[in-house]
Structures are given as structure tokens and as C-alpha cells.
């Protein structure tokens, strides 16, 4: 049996967690892949003869830097099958997926940009896959939650997806579970809760990167495409930004956070309107397959709905289908973080190795 080689791009938070999980990977009688390449920002580690490397020594590497084109050629010449694990969110790497696949290199990744950018890249990626060049991206939506695999299983077995909706962001989940809980009136003003989430590491360093809704829009784009909708990209449907108009031009995250309290009343009024109707506020993503509509934004939801009942920073994906019409299929749990995202990557790697072996 020809060996299987592993190339890893990205050794940040997800990448480090992936390396740790790789060491404990359970493959039964199948030989574990040999790591032959690792990279992070401006460092690369590899041996020209494709012998094994220790990715943990990357920082001390003096290996010459390979361009993505050179890397593709080098991996394509390996004396065995190759799986590239891309743990980044880099657009240039994502744009190279079709080339990797066309050269017989399988790809496993949580990189949302590869699957939510222009529709041509999506088509190029999936038209380039073969039985010996596979693509897996479970963790591009919902981290380690079985969201994509569930959707694929439903459609592959002939079920008809009518709608997918839920809360697709751990950040948005935490913010609104705290701001507009099912019981009680919340534990602070909107700006205070955003600040609390930022300090706890639940947001990006610049909270605007979460509040603009684009992370959720990318996940919606991926699910919509998998459900059969020809969505051009995350900017091709309505996405409600929670950044006040007056603060869109803030020069920095600190200026934004400093001025955000001036706009608390906008969110407070929306919460009060929901309370008068016996509802709570949630940041809801919706893929309406029946009506060919995708949207992301604030909604007032019933307190007894699955979406309202979320805790902490959990995600929830609610699948309405022909089979699951009276009671939807729900996938819920932690949808962000290095460990759970790496778990999704590791599980995809196992699937790829099993298929290639």
C-alpha cells in the first residue's frame, strides 16, 4: 500500500489543537499519515526527499519558502498520496484548492472562504475532485458539529430540504442569550455585554468583525449551496449589520467600543418590543430553500422555540425537511473554538485517509 503524506498549513490556535489531536488519532489497522510539510506565516518546514518532519520544530526551520504553485508541484511529486490540511482562513490558499485537487492532492479544511467566495471557485473546487483527490470541510460551518455531514446525508438519501435556520455564531449566541434571556431582563446594557464578550475572548479582537454579520453570512452561503441554491456569495442576500451607522467609520476597535454606549437605546428598544410580544431577540440565519431566499439578521422568536433556548455560546442548526416536517432535526452545541474546530478537521482527516487507503 502506497504511503499517505500530510501537509499542514496554519499552526495557530486551530493548527496547534489539530497537531495535538493528530498525535492521538485512532486509525485502527490503517497506518497514520506521515507529516512532510508544515507552515505558518513566513516559516516552512520540509525535507526535499519527503521524509517525516516534526511540525513542533517549525519556528527553528531554515527551509526555503515555497510559493503555493511550487508547493503544489512538490506535493504532486510525492511518492504516495497527499492530504493537505489548511487550518487558515487565507483566501490565496483557498483559491489554490482547484490546483491542489487537479494535481491529485486531497484537501481537508475549516477555511470558510474557499466555499463562500464567488460561485466560480465553488464550482472549480468540486469539479476538480476525484476518487483520489478528495475535499472535506465539515468544520467550515459549526466547527466540530455534524452540520455539513447531516445536510449531505439528508439530501443523498432523497430527503427534501425546505428550510435551515438557527444561530450560526457562538459570539452572537452569547451576546443575545445574555442581553435577551428567556427569563429575566438581561444582565446589562448592550455595549456592556459586547465589552464583556470581547474581554472573555468570545469576539474577534475587533468586535465589528462579528457584529457585521459576515461570518454568519459565509456559513449561510455554504449551507445554501449544499442545499442546492445558486448563491453568488455572502454579499448577495440581506445581512443585517449590528454596527450603528454612525460608528461604521470608527478608526479603531477602541474608538468603536468607546462610542458604542451612545447607541444602546437602539438595541434596548428592540428588546422591549420583543418582550411586549412575549418573545426574545436572536440573531437568526435562514436558508429558505422552498422560496429561494437567504437572510441574516435580528428576529423576535418565541420563548419556547429551540432557537430561544440556547445557552452560553452554543450554535443551533434547525433542519426542516420533508421527512422532518412536524418536528425538525436539530444539531446543537459548541460551534466555535480551537479544540472543537480541530476535532472537525481531525474527523474529516480520518474519513479522507480511510477512503484513500
Amino acid at each position: 500500500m502506497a504511503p499517505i503524506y500530510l501537509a499542514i498549513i496554519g499552526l495557530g490556535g486551530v493548527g496547534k489543537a489539530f497537531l495535538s489531536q493528530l498525535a492521538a488519532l485512532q486509525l485502527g489497522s490503517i497506518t497514520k499519515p506521515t507529516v512532510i510539510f508544515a507552515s505558518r506565516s513566513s516559516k516552512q518546514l520540509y525535507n526535499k526527499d519527503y521524509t517525516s518532519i516534526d511540525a513542533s520544530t517549525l519556528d527553528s526551520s531554515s527551509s526555503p519558502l515555497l510559493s503555493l504553485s511550487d508547493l503544489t508541484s512538490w506535493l504532486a511529486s510525492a511518492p504516495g498520496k497527499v492530504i493537505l490540511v489548511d487550518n487558515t482562513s487565507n483566501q490565496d490558499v483557498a483559491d489554490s484548492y482547484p490546483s491542489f485537487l487537479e494535481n491529485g492532492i486531497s484537501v481537508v479544511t475549516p477555511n470558510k472562504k474557499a466555499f463562500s467566495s464567488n460561485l466560480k471557485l465553488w464550482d472549480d473546487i468540486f469539479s476538480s475532485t476525484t476518487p483520489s483527490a478528495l475535499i472535506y470541510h465539515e468544520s467550515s460551518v459549526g466547527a466540530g458539529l455534524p452540520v455539513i455531514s447531516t445536510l449531505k446525508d439528508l439530501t443523498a438519501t432523497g430527503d427534501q430540504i425546505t428550510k435551515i435556520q438557527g444561530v450560526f455564531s457562538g459570539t452572537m449566541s452569547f451576546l443575545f442569550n445574555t442581553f435577551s434571556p428567556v427569563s429575566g431582563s438581561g444582565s446589562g446594557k448592550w455595549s456592556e455585554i459586547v465589552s464583556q464578550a470581547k474581554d472573555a475572548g468570545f469576539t474577534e479582537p475587533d468586535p465589528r468583525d462579528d457584529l457585521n454579520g459576515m461570518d454568519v453570512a459565509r456559513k449561510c452561503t455554504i449551507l445554501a449551496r449544499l442545499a442546492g441554491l445558486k448563491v453568488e456569495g455572502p454579499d448577495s442576500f440581506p445581512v443585517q449589520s449590528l454596527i450603528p451607522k454612525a460608528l461604521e467609520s470608527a478608526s479603531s476597535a477602541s474608538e468603536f467600543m468607546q462610542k458604542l454606549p451612545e447607541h444602546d437605546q437602539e438595541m434596548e428598544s428592540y428588546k422591549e418590543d420583543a418582550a411586549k410580544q412575549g418573545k426574545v431577540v436572536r440573531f437568526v440565519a435562514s436558508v429558505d430553500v422552498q422560496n429561494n431566499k437567504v437572510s441574516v439578521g435580528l428576529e423576535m422568536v418565541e420563548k419556547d422555540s429551540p432557537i430561544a433556548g440556547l445557552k452560553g455560546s452554543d450554535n443551533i442548526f434547525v433542519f426542516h425537511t420533508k421527512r422532518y416536517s412536524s418536528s425538525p432535526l436539530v444539531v446543537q452545541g459548541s460551534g466555535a473554538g480551537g479544540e472543537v474546530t480541530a476535532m472537525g478537521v481531525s474527523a474529516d482527516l480520518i474519513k479522507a485517509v480511510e477512503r484513500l487507503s
Side-chain angles (χ1 to χ4, degrees), residues 24-219:
L25 214 58
Q26 300 295 316
L27 290 171
S29 59
I30 300 174
T31 302
K32 189 176 294 186
T34 300
V35 180
I36 58 170
F37 178 88
S39 73
R40 179 176 59 209
S41 58
S42 60
K43 282 282 187 179
Q44 295 180 352
L45 175 62
Y46 60 94
N47 297 317
K48 290 183 178 180
D49 61 356
Y50 302 101
T51 51
S52 176
I53 63 165
D54 179 358
S56 67
T57 66
L58 174 62
D59 287 341
S60 60
S61 171
S62 58
S63 297
L65 296 182
L66 300 174
S67 66
L68 285 169
S69 176
D70 290 340
L71 175 62
T72 303
S73 298
W74 183 71
L75 293 177
S77 298
K81 297 175 181 178
V82 178
I83 301 172
L84 173 76
V85 176
D86 172 23
N87 289 316
T88 76
S89 60
N90 186 286
Q91 186 68 60
D92 291 336
V93 179
D95 290 341
S96 298
Y97 287 2
S99 180
F100 285 128
L101 294 163
E102 288 165 1
N103 282 275
I105 302 161
S106 297
V107 178
V108 171
T109 182
N111 191 340
K112 288 188 284 291
K113 291 180 180 176
F115 310 98
S116 61
S117 299
N118 64 79
L119 194 55
K120 182 181 184 304
L121 178 58
W122 170 276
D123 290 337
D124 288 347
I125 288 172
F126 288 101
S127 65
S128 301
T129 59
T130 68
S132 59
L134 312 170
I135 184 84
Y136 283 98
H137 62 108
E138 179 71 75
S139 45
S140 65
V141 177
L145 295 176
V147 178
I148 289 176
S149 55
T150 296
L151 176 54
K152 286 184 174 180
D153 286 347
L154 289 169
T155 56
T157 57
D159 202 353
Q160 297 176 17
I161 310 297
T162 55
K163 181 182 287 188
I164 308 167
Q165 60 183 168
V167 176
F168 299 174
S169 161
T171 300
M172 293 300 194
S173 182
F174 173 83
L175 290 175
F176 285 98
N177 293 341
T178 307
F179 178 66
S180 181
V182 171
S183 59
S185 58
S187 59
K189 297 179 179 179
W190 174 249
S191 60
E192 294 171 345
I193 294 169
V194 173
S195 180
Q196 178 186 345
K198 182 177 183 296
D199 292 343
F202 290 151
T203 73
E204 295 294 330
D206 187 340
R208 290 174 294 181
D209 292 337
D210 295 293
L211 297 177
N212 65 14
M214 290 309 295
D215 177 68
V216 176
R218 286 190 178 278
K219 295 173 185 177

Side-chain angles (χ1 to χ4, degrees), residues 299-320:
E299 287 189 20
M300 300 178 187
V301 300
E302 300 290 347
K303 291 184 176 181
D304 61 353
S305 70
I307 292 174
L310 283 179
K311 304 294 183 183
S313 59
D314 278 3
N315 285 190
I316 187 169
F317 298 81
V318 182
F319 294 90
H320 300 266

